[in-house]
Amino acid sequence: MLRQIIQESKVKAVRELLGRSERIVITCHMSPDGDAIGSSLGLMHVLAAIGKEARVVTPDIPPQILRFLPGAKDIVPYSKYTDFARQLLCDADLIFCLDFNSLYRVDHMRDDLASSSAPKVLVDHHQDPEDFADVIISHPDQSSTAILMFRLLCRLELFNLIDRKAAMCIYTGMMTDTGNFSYNSNDPDLYVVIAELIRKGINKDEI
């Protein structure tokens, strides 16, 4: 049993936003790492499973080493496909901002993200988040945004929709932000989540 660290009011707010949204953009910081991409793609897979049109838009091109993740080939880098990415942000009903605490961290995408009329949900584990999102889920005590995303999906009663693809992405985010669980990894909940992801069918040794 995981500790419930996310306030119920914030879970309720995200649930309500999801209920009235169809076109959802998920974005993260520039020079995205395993946590940024893993949490973004993990969320994308679950949103697709509930019938949402979800796209991941990154400020720049993700590293080649993360191309093995399911869904990575569908990522839209703003720096390469600027007009398309801008249109996705403009048309979105809802935007998830993952693994960054300030708009400057999305680099040249900043103005288009800020000007989008879509409600924004921030899910992050860095300190001192800026007040640019409608819902801010910030827990610097967590080792990664990926584990925080797992917690949020569970609270949204979407655990059963985390399939092997989503689990691979979430695990990768957790693993890379802890140096393969060699630091920031003394929380017992971390290993509860790993066990659940293995039950979802991931091969942690292969990842």
Side-chain angles (χ1 to χ4, degrees), residues 14 30 76 79 83 93 104 122 159 175 189 196 205:
V14 175
M30 60 183 172
V76 180
S79 61
D83 290 342
D93 301 318
Y104 87 87
L122 172 70
F159 171 79
M175 179 187 71
D189 281 357
E196 294 296 341
D205 297 337

Side-chain angles (χ1 to χ4, degrees), residues 30-81:
M30 60 183 172
S31 302
D33 55 9
D35 189 23
I37 297 298
S39 55
S40 295
L41 289 175
L43 174 60
M44 182 194 75
H45 289 300
V46 174
L47 292 179
I50 60 173
K52 304 299 182 181
E53 182 184 328
R55 300 299 299 263
V56 175
V57 176
T58 56
D60 48 9
I61 298 174
Q64 186 68 27
I65 196 172
L66 297 173
R67 292 284 293 175
F68 76 95
L69 288 174
K73 65 180 178 61
D74 297 320
I75 291 173
V76 180
Y78 180 92
S79 61
K80 186 175 182 179
Y81 303 108

Side-chain angles (χ1 to χ4, degrees), residues 2-206:
L2 295 176
R3 292 173 295 127
Q4 292 193 358
I5 65 172
I6 304 174
Q7 295 176 12
E8 179 58 31
S9 60
K10 296 188 176 185
V11 175
K12 181 180 179 182
V14 175
R15 184 181 292 114
E16 291 175 350
L17 287 171
L18 282 174
R20 59 176 186 256
S21 302
E22 294 299 328
R23 298 182 302 275
I24 301 173
V25 167
I26 305 162
T27 192
C28 60
H29 58 76
M30 60 183 172
S31 302
D33 55 9
D35 189 23
I37 297 298
S39 55
S40 295
L41 289 175
L43 174 60
M44 182 194 75
H45 289 300
V46 174
L47 292 179
I50 60 173
K52 304 299 182 181
E53 182 184 328
R55 300 299 299 263
V56 175
V57 176
T58 56
D60 48 9
I61 298 174
Q64 186 68 27
I65 196 172
L66 297 173
R67 292 284 293 175
F68 76 95
L69 288 174
K73 65 180 178 61
D74 297 320
I75 291 173
V76 180
Y78 180 92
S79 61
K80 186 175 182 179
Y81 303 108
T82 304
D83 290 342
F84 182 40
R86 181 176 289 141
Q87 193 64 50
L88 288 172
L89 290 167
C90 180
D91 293 343
D93 301 318
L94 177 63
I95 299 175
F96 279 90
C97 302
L98 306 187
D99 202 38
F100 65 95
N101 58 356
S102 174
L103 283 175
Y104 87 87
R105 296 199 65 200
V106 300
D107 199 32
H108 298 298
M109 196 172 74
R110 176 177 180 169
D111 289 344
D112 287 317
L113 177 60
S115 63
S116 173
S117 61
K120 299 171 184 65
V121 176
L122 172 70
V123 183
D124 182 44
H125 71 127
H126 298 94
Q127 294 184 350
D128 304 320
E130 288 182 355
D131 187 20
F132 65 87
D134 299 86
V135 181
I136 297 176
I137 299 174
S138 173
H139 289 270
D141 59 313
Q142 295 297 287
S143 57
S144 65
T145 295
I147 191 172
L148 192 53
M149 178 54 63
F150 180 90
R151 290 179 178 278
L152 178 59
L153 292 172
C154 290
R155 295 288 300 281
L156 291 169
E157 300 179 346
L158 297 174
F159 171 79
N160 289 337
L161 296 180
I162 301 175
D163 61 7
R164 179 177 176 274
K165 294 184 297 184
M168 279 182 64
C169 298
I170 291 170
Y171 177 83
T172 298
M174 292 169 54
M175 179 187 71
T176 54
D177 249 28
T178 57
N180 202 15
F181 309 107
S182 62
Y183 52 81
N184 292 335
S185 56
N186 207 36
D187 182 357
D189 281 357
L190 190 65
Y191 302 95
V192 174
V193 175
I194 292 172
E196 294 296 341
L197 296 176
I198 291 173
R199 292 188 184 99
K200 295 287 185 177
I202 70 165
N203 185 330
K204 62 177 290 294
D205 297 337
E206 186 179 273

